[in-house]
Amino acid sequence: MRLIGKEEVENIAIGAALLGTGGGGDPYIGKMMAIQAIEKYGPIRLLDITELADDDVVVPSAMMGAPTVMVEKIPSGEEALVSFKALEQVLNKEIKATMPIEAGGVNSLLPLALAARMGLPVVDGDGMGRAFPELQMVTFYLNGVSTTPMVLSDEKGNSMVINTVNGEWAEKIARSATMVMGGSVMNAIYPMTGRQVKDASIYNTLTLEEKIGRTIKEAKAGKRNPVDDVLQMLGGFKLFTGKITDIERQTDGGFVRGTAIIEGLDKNKGEHCYLAFQNENLLAKTDTDVLCMTPDLITVLDTETGLPITTEGLRYGARGTVIGIPADEKWRTQKGIDIAGPRYFGYDYDFTPVETLQAKGGNK
Amino acid sequence: MRLIGKEEVENIAIGAALLGTGGGGDPYIGKMMAIQAIEKYGPIRLLDITELADDDVVVPSAMMGAPTVMVEKIPSGEEALVSFKALEQVLNKEIKATMPIEAGGVNSLLPLALAARMGLPVVDGDGMGRAFPELQMVTFYLNGVSTTPMVLSDEKGNSMVINTVNGEWAEKIARSATMVMGGSVMNAIYPMTGRQVKDASIYNTLTLEEKIGRTIKEAKAGKRNPVDDVLQMLGGFKLFTGKITDIERQTDGGFVRGTAIIEGLDKNKGEHCYLAFQNENLLAKTDTDVLCMTPDLITVLDTETGLPITTEGLRYGARGTVIGIPADEKWRTQKGIDIAGPRYFGYDYDFTPVETLQAKGGNK
């Protein structure tokens, strides 16, 4: 167990946005939520996964919905209290801790803010090691953890406890409720025992996010290129460098879908990179090559500052470096690829690891 | 308390379809559900409202969704058990009885079938005295009873416990969930104390339905016109007699909306009647006169047999008599008209009681 204060939150916010692959919400919002909570309730206890008892009850918490909407509807923490109490009644057990379900600007930090409000610790791990747009796209689900009972709640005071026969039904029902409830809701989901958390989680996600943030800051302080330092630390690849020349996005079905076009600069001069996203970046390609595909991580970093740019932060004229990071091995299994690989999202490619694509010469 | 057997069910089904004003589902389905339940579990106990203790917990049950879909998805009773247990957990109290929320071919009889399955009695009353398309259109709501906690469940095993800040939000969220869950769901809603049931219900609905059914049957047996006998019994009006020449309906937003055109026969020869519905019949007019408007009851009876025809049962060429029945006084208050009057449904008329419209000469 260690305590998380404001400085740690600053770094986590940066790292979370990077692992968030363009989605998971605005890191500024997540940061402000967590900092306000720390100011009011004191530092937050971060538990290592190995510190959990096998029969502890852990309930991940998250915002669900289009990140563009999420920005305008910051949860107060009250709805989380209500949701957790409702879930404790259903489970007939006390909840011992919360944790993030995914890495992302809001969804890595929301559990910290809610935990502070509720007097609970946060578990250092998550269910994706990145962000994904749908509820069943979590390592918990890959490991057979039930998505429900889950609780959705909104800032108006409406809430619902959902029980479904599988994760796809949970996603369908919750997504439709999210839209009716104003486009984004707070979610308490995948209740687990400590044993299940140990078996089914990505470990040390918050610590990794903090390290990413610190690496970027230290590189800047040392006048080194933050992008290079981060890639070295994560074992990632520089896929494309350029200037954003076109960005088209639309909100439908509770998601933000779109494409960004990046015009090459430096050694990518004369080329174009096409970035397809559904909340998160899912596919990066040029006119001739696929550079990286889901479930591997695709993130755009500001070429100069090294800071991650979310899909809603993509602006015409911004200079960005597209990076690719190998996904956790849990995602590269057949089941992981079935659930979150390119074909699930409608891209007609067999999943090929980013390191293979780069070895083939994608990284010109 | 009295026992309801197969013969009572037969009559209730007819009367329920008449009070159902075209909606509330197919009486044949409701009847079969209740009869099967009686065959399996024995006669059903029907409680007079005055027999309830003030602190008894009563939970109305209903199908929600488009009646055309409802027909294809008969609830097994298992989802009702699950829903009632979930609600008992939330309320932390044992449920003593169920009751219909509305009058209608399915929704008057579903509670009988579920009650048999659950070993509970049914309260002889309902929350409309007719059928209406939306959840907040009940006398319970007029009396300030909270719509939630409510439970929706489907035949696949999915369920949700919903808590909302008001009835409009309950309607929005439940309607959207209903659509995602396949177009119709089972609903346990408006949990009440015995005291609230006494204050907020329409009394003796099932007994009235049974009497309507018996009146129609006895008229036929006595070679009298069933329509006349029923109108005399209910204090209703014969609005229009003719032949259905056009029927247009569409399912959208979880409702069946449409219009039927009836070409006049006998003393209505040369005239047309236009019948507008949203699950239920809401407005009947000719080219010159409004004949009857919601919340008053509009039902089409088969001119020959006197049996009610639901909106989904309306067929080209069928001979029908449109009847109008004054709504319960609870609906004719300002609040009742605000919630279920013509303007709520987009018809630009001030509510005028059917007896006033008929006195003006609508009943040519």
Side-chain angles (χ1 to χ4, degrees):
Chain A
M1 202 276 286
R2 65 188 177 99
L3 291 177
I4 298 290
K6 289 190 210 178
E7 195 191 323
E8 286 85 355
V9 164
E10 297 268 0
N11 288 328
I12 290 172
I14 295 169
L18 186 145
L19 295 184
T21 63
D26 185 334
Y28 179 77
I29 304 284
K31 189 172 79 177
M32 292 319 294
M33 278 167 37
I35 285 177
Q36 279 171 17
I38 288 171
E39 282 172 352
K40 196 158 175 190
Y41 305 103
I44 298 147
R45 287 171 292 153
L46 187 69
L47 281 187
D48 196 81
I49 289 180
T50 56
E51 291 177 89
L52 289 170
D54 279 359
D55 59 353
D56 280 349
V57 176
V58 179
V59 176
S61 49
M63 289 287 281
M64 176 170 187
T68 40
V69 177
M70 211 184 280
V71 170
E72 292 153 27
K73 293 183 32 173
I74 306 173
S76 70
E78 293 314 309
E79 58 267 57
L81 266 182
V82 171
S83 297
F84 272 54
K85 275 198 202 318
L87 212 43
E88 282 184 336
Q89 198 189 19
V90 172
L91 299 168
N92 201 18
K93 279 179 192 156
E94 197 188 334
I95 296 169
K96 288 290 175 64
T98 186
M99 68 187 287
I101 195 169
E102 66 175 355
V106 165
N107 274 341
S108 283
L109 293 149
L110 177 78
L112 296 174
L114 300 184
R117 171 77 187 81
M118 295 191 288
L120 292 178
V122 175
V123 177
D124 189 5
D126 81 316
M128 301 189 194
R130 51 165 294 157
F132 271 127
E134 297 183 17
L135 292 185
Q136 75 280 14
M137 297 172 173
V138 286
T139 53
F140 313 142
Y141 194 63
L142 292 181
N143 261 55
V145 178
S146 173
T147 314
T148 61
M150 68 184 279
V151 184
L152 297 188
S153 50
D154 70 16
E155 75 295 349
K156 292 175 284 290
N158 300 312
S159 70
M160 54 213 303
V161 182
I162 301 175
N163 269 293
T164 58
V165 289
N166 60 39
E168 284 75 12
W169 273 108
E171 163 64 28
K172 268 201 241 188
I173 291 172
R175 186 72 53 188
S176 128
T178 299
M179 285 187 281
V180 176
M181 288 159 104
S184 93
V185 295
M186 194 244 136
N187 205 348
I189 187 171
Y190 287 104
M192 281 178 281
T193 62
R195 183 71 256 160
Q196 287 177 305
V197 174
K198 289 172 196 173
D199 292 342
S201 300
I202 308 279
Y203 278 58
N204 304 317
T205 312
L206 290 158
T207 295
L208 176 63
E209 289 168 350
E210 192 187 342
K211 198 171 160 195
I212 294 170
R214 212 167 48 229
T215 301
I216 291 175
K217 274 197 191 160
E218 286 174 358
K220 280 160 73 179
K223 313 254 184 233
R224 293 190 307 280
N225 183 322
V227 179
D228 293 337
D229 278 25
V230 156
L231 287 178
Q232 192 177 6
M233 183 204 138
L234 291 169
F237 300 88
K238 197 184 281 188
L239 303 176
F240 197 88
T241 302
K243 190 174 74 173
I244 292 145
T245 54
D246 201 6
I247 168 82
E248 165 262 311
R249 59 169 87 77
Q250 62 199 72
T251 303
D252 74 282
F255 298 111
V256 178
R257 291 189 172 85
T259 311
I261 303 178
I262 305 170
E263 195 180 285
L265 290 173
D266 305 333
K267 67 177 176 178
N268 293 114
K269 205 167 170 72
E271 294 179 292
H272 289 87
C273 174
Y274 306 90
L275 202 61
F277 54 84
Q278 174 181 330
N279 291 9
E280 282 73 40
N281 302 316
L282 297 172
L283 187 79
K285 60 175 188 170
T286 63
D287 287 304
T288 52
D289 294 297
V290 176
L291 302 175
C292 189
M293 55 180 91
T294 179
D296 283 346
L297 286 67
I298 303 165
T299 289
V300 184
L301 300 180
D302 180 300
T303 302
E304 213 144 294
T305 65
L307 292 174
I309 308 177
T310 59
T311 53
E312 71 262 34
L314 290 170
R315 296 278 177 277
Y316 177 85
R319 282 166 197 236
T321 298
V322 184
I323 64 168
I325 303 163
D328 187 277
E329 283 308 319
K330 285 188 201 288
W331 288 119
R332 290 176 159 198
T333 59
Q334 191 54 51
K335 196 166 177 194
I337 291 164
D338 287 347
I339 284 184
R343 289 193 200 281
Y344 180 89
F345 292 102
Y347 306 116
D348 196 19
Y349 297 107
D350 290 328
F351 171 72
T352 313
V354 61
E355 59 273 24
T356 310
L357 291 168
Q358 291 299 305
K360 276 189 191 156
N363 185 17
K364 283 165 196 165
Chain B
M1 202 273 287
R2 63 186 178 103
L3 292 177
I4 299 291
K6 289 191 209 176
E7 195 191 322
E8 288 85 356
V9 165
E10 298 267 0
N11 288 328
I12 290 172
I14 295 169
L18 187 147
L19 296 182
T21 64
D26 185 333
Y28 179 76
I29 305 286
K31 189 172 76 176
M32 292 320 294
M33 279 166 39
I35 286 178
Q36 279 171 17
I38 288 170
E39 282 172 355
K40 197 159 174 189
Y41 305 103
I44 299 148
R45 286 171 291 153
L46 187 69
L47 281 187
D48 195 81
I49 288 182
T50 56
E51 291 179 89
L52 288 170
D54 280 359
D55 59 354
D56 280 349
V57 176
V58 179
V59 177
S61 49
M63 288 288 280
M64 175 170 188
T68 40
V69 177
M70 210 184 281
V71 171
E72 292 153 27
K73 292 181 36 174
I74 306 173
S76 70
E78 293 313 309
E79 57 267 57
L81 265 182
V82 171
S83 298
F84 273 54
K85 276 198 199 322
L87 212 44
E88 283 185 336
Q89 198 188 21
V90 171
L91 300 167
N92 202 19
K93 279 178 194 155
E94 197 188 333
I95 296 170
K96 288 289 174 65
T98 187
M99 67 187 287
I101 195 170
E102 67 176 355
V106 166
N107 274 340
S108 283
L109 293 149
L110 178 78
L112 295 175
L114 301 184
R117 171 75 187 82
M118 295 191 288
L120 292 177
V122 175
V123 177
D124 188 6
D126 81 316
M128 301 189 193
R130 49 164 295 158
F132 271 128
E134 297 184 16
L135 292 185
Q136 75 281 12
M137 297 172 174
V138 286
T139 54
F140 314 142
Y141 195 63
L142 292 180
N143 260 56
V145 177
S146 173
T147 315
T148 62
M150 68 184 276
V151 184
L152 298 188
S153 51
D154 70 16
E155 76 294 349
K156 291 175 284 292
N158 300 310
S159 70
M160 54 213 305
V161 181
I162 301 177
N163 269 292
T164 58
V165 290
N166 59 38
E168 284 77 11
W169 273 108
E171 164 63 29
K172 268 200 241 189
I173 290 172
R175 187 70 52 185
S176 128
T178 299
M179 285 188 280
V180 175
M181 288 160 104
S184 93
V185 296
M186 194 244 135
N187 206 348
I189 187 169
Y190 287 103
M192 282 179 280
T193 62
R195 183 72 255 159
Q196 286 176 305
V197 174
K198 290 173 196 173
D199 293 341
S201 301
I202 308 280
Y203 279 56
N204 304 319
T205 312
L206 289 158
T207 295
L208 176 62
E209 289 167 350
E210 192 188 341
K211 200 172 159 194
I212 294 170
R214 213 168 44 229
T215 300
I216 291 175
K217 273 197 192 162
E218 287 174 356
K220 281 160 73 180
K223 314 252 186 232
R224 293 191 304 280
N225 183 324
V227 178
D228 293 335
D229 278 24
V230 155
L231 287 177
Q232 190 178 5
M233 182 202 137
L234 290 169
F237 301 88
K238 195 183 283 187
L239 303 177
F240 197 88
T241 301
K243 189 175 75 173
I244 293 147
T245 55
D246 201 6
I247 168 82
E248 165 261 312
R249 59 169 87 77
Q250 60 197 76
T251 304
D252 74 283
F255 297 110
V256 177
R257 290 189 172 86
T259 310
I261 303 178
I262 304 169
E263 196 180 285
L265 289 172
D266 305 333
K267 66 177 177 180
N268 293 115
K269 204 167 172 73
E271 295 180 292
H272 289 89
C273 175
Y274 306 90
L275 202 61
F277 54 85
Q278 175 182 329
N279 291 9
E280 280 74 40
N281 301 316
L282 297 171
L283 188 79
K285 59 175 187 171
T286 62
D287 287 303
T288 53
D289 295 296
V290 176
L291 302 177
C292 189
M293 56 180 91
T294 178
D296 283 345
L297 286 67
I298 303 164
T299 290
V300 184
L301 301 180
D302 181 299
T303 302
E304 212 143 297
T305 65
L307 293 173
I309 308 176
T310 59
T311 53
E312 72 262 33
L314 290 170
R315 297 278 178 275
Y316 176 84
R319 282 165 197 237
T321 299
V322 185
I323 64 168
I325 304 163
D328 187 277
E329 283 308 318
K330 286 187 201 289
W331 287 118
R332 290 176 159 199
T333 60
Q334 191 54 51
K335 198 168 176 194
I337 291 164
D338 287 348
I339 284 184
R343 289 193 200 281
Y344 180 89
F345 292 102
Y347 307 115
D348 196 19
Y349 298 105
D350 291 328
F351 171 72
T352 313
V354 60
E355 59 274 23
T356 310
L357 290 169
Q358 291 300 305
K360 276 188 193 157
N363 185 17
K364 282 167 199 164

